[in-house]
Amino acid sequence: MQTQPKLTDRKALMRNRARADHAKGMFLHDAAIEEVQDRLTLVNRGFTRPAIVTGYPDVWRKVVPNAVIVPDADLLDLQEGAHDLVIHALGLHWADDPVGQIIQCRRALCADGLFLAVTFGGQTLHELRATLAQAESEITGGLSPRVVPMGEIRDMGALLQRAGLALPVADSVPLKVTYESPWALMKDLRAMGETNALEQRLRRPTRRDVLIRAANLYVETFMDNGRIPATFDMIFMTGWSPDDSQPQPLRPGSASTRLADALGASEIKLPK
């Protein structure tokens, strides 16, 4: 029986999060919270049994009143069928088994309950990833894992379907933040608790000449008007726990109205 490959060093992740600056480093969480709250108002439904999965309970506690808060551990401390809303809050990119995380959230939902997740997508920090990879390759002749792999939006809807959620939707909200230098970006990542916690990371400090070369490449390649950009690609996913009251897809070939009639257009038959 194959075991799930280990992506994240949980001890390192917890250490990084404990060092995070909750006063200055949570601006991405604040942006995600604002977006989540906007989306919940559009649902036009009251939620009385919400739960939030997060590594930052103090930050996310304000999203929904009286929500049950649980850590984003491998096994989520959620009761089956106990919630009408489960929010997975900016932690899915660190999960060894993201589909398993979503399945656990779906099982915690009652019928017609809402799952809403926000995670970082594949374009996140693409500038930093490219320059670090080039610098390390030039100087050491190899590459080491530095930034957690993140899924592309085209894959996210499929994750929701694999987890058994109905009416899946995934969309992206890209944010571009600018900094005075790559060093300021790296300092901010530490304040966010988002520095390297990969299981296969280097277990020694990165060579100084690699970091200096990466910083120079970053400036040469991406600097604009005296500042360097950093992309944070936030992907929002929603899906519903299946229920008979939800719209159901029709069986292929069961349509009773022609498309041409619905559009008020003339039908032109193709030549045989």
Side-chain angles (χ1 to χ4, degrees), residues 224-243:
D224 185 25
N225 293 323
R227 295 180 69 82
I228 59 112
T231 300
F232 296 95
D233 179 22
M234 288 200 292
I235 294 179
F236 291 82
M237 298 181 285
T238 58
W240 296 83
S241 181
D243 185 71

Side-chain angles (χ1 to χ4, degrees), residues 45-53 66-70 76-87 104-115 240-241:
R45 178 187 295 191
F47 296 101
T48 59
R49 293 172 290 153
I52 301 175
V53 180
N66 304 317
V68 172
I69 311 287
V70 301
L76 301 180
D77 188 18
L78 294 172
Q79 246 187 316
E80 187 169 348
H83 303 284
D84 54 5
L85 170 67
V86 175
I87 298 171
Q104 291 181 72
C105 291
R106 191 257 300 162
R107 288 175 177 166
L109 289 168
C110 61
D112 204 30
L114 175 63
F115 171 74
W240 296 83
S241 181

